[in-house]
């Protein structure tokens, strides 16, 4: 038996509205949001008395989703959101964009910062890492036609 598909990636943040605004500006679409609490949720995530707000965003092709969660209780703990790329664990999310320079210009007012450089790999692509809201590390790739 193999998996059928990936449903979503979950990211916990302290500013849900800011994270949603950033990723909508990037080009994702808000699919929906809701308040989460109760025995069912506690049983799934393993935290008693949890209360959170979530927002589900999808890529324009509807193939991928990111669920952002902001916890009211219990209080979120620092998961080393500003760790470098070589730290263990989930480190970055990568997106293909049409125009890297335009994307960076649109994300800058939302706090995006290029980690170091925009690099070109042969005649294939331009790419860079960007720190977004909550220190989320994002790789942006523009492929050459």
């Amino acid at each position: 038996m193999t998996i059928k598909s990936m449903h979503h990636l979950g990211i916990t943040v302290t500013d849900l509205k800011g994270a949603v605004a950033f990723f909508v500006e990037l080009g994702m679409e808000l699919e929906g949001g809701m308040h989460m609490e109760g025995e069912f949720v506690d049983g799934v995530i393993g935290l008693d008395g949890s209360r959170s707000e979530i927002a589900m965003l999808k890529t324009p092709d509807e193939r991928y989703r990111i669920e952002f969660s902001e916890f009211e209780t219990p209080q979120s703990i620092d998961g080393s959101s500003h760790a470098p790329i070589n730290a263990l664990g989930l480190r970055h999310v990568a997106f293909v964009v049409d125009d890297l320079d335009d994307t960076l210009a649109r994300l800058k007012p939302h706090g995006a910062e290029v980690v170091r450089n925009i690099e070109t790999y042969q005649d294939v692509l331009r790419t860079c890492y960007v720190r977004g809201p909550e220190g989320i590390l994002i790789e942006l790739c523009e492929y050459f036609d």
Side-chain angles (χ1 to χ4, degrees):
M1 184 62 137
T2 62
I3 62 171
K4 292 182 180 182
S5 67
M6 187 179 96
H7 188 269
H8 70 271
L9 170 75
I11 300 176
T12 301
V13 297
T14 58
D15 179 5
L16 184 62
K17 288 180 184 177
V20 168
F22 181 93
F23 282 87
V24 166
E25 187 64 44
L26 179 59
M28 295 191 79
E29 300 171 13
L30 179 61
E31 190 170 46
M34 65 187 325
H35 180 79
M36 303 291 290
E37 69 177 292
E39 289 182 33
F40 170 79
V41 175
D42 291 354
V44 171
I45 67 172
L47 294 172
D48 294 329
S50 71
R51 289 195 318 267
S52 63
E53 297 294 326
I54 67 166
M56 187 71 77
L57 286 86
K58 62 183 177 180
T59 56
D61 63 5
E62 299 187 8
R63 291 181 61 197
Y64 305 102
R65 287 168 175 72
I66 300 178
E67 175 188 278
F68 291 95
S69 302
E70 180 180 343
F71 281 83
E72 296 169 21
T73 61
Q75 184 176 5
S76 296
I77 59 171
D78 184 359
S80 298
S81 59
H82 294 281
I85 192 66
N86 65 336
L88 298 177
L90 180 63
R91 285 295 123 216
H92 77 282
V93 180
F95 295 96
V96 176
V97 298
D98 290 332
D99 183 331
L100 183 58
D101 295 324
D102 176 68
T103 301
L104 291 170
R106 288 186 297 106
L107 294 178
K108 190 170 184 167
H110 294 274
E113 296 181 16
V114 174
V115 171
R116 181 169 288 169
N117 299 324
I118 299 170
E119 298 289 348
T120 300
Y121 177 72
Q122 298 178 357
D123 292 331
V124 178
L125 66 88
R126 290 178 67 222
T127 188
C128 65
Y129 279 9
V130 173
R131 287 270 181 203
E134 312 281 334
I136 298 169
L137 197 55
I138 301 158
E139 181 178 4
L140 300 174
C141 305
E142 176 186 0
Y143 284 89
F144 301 124
D145 293 328

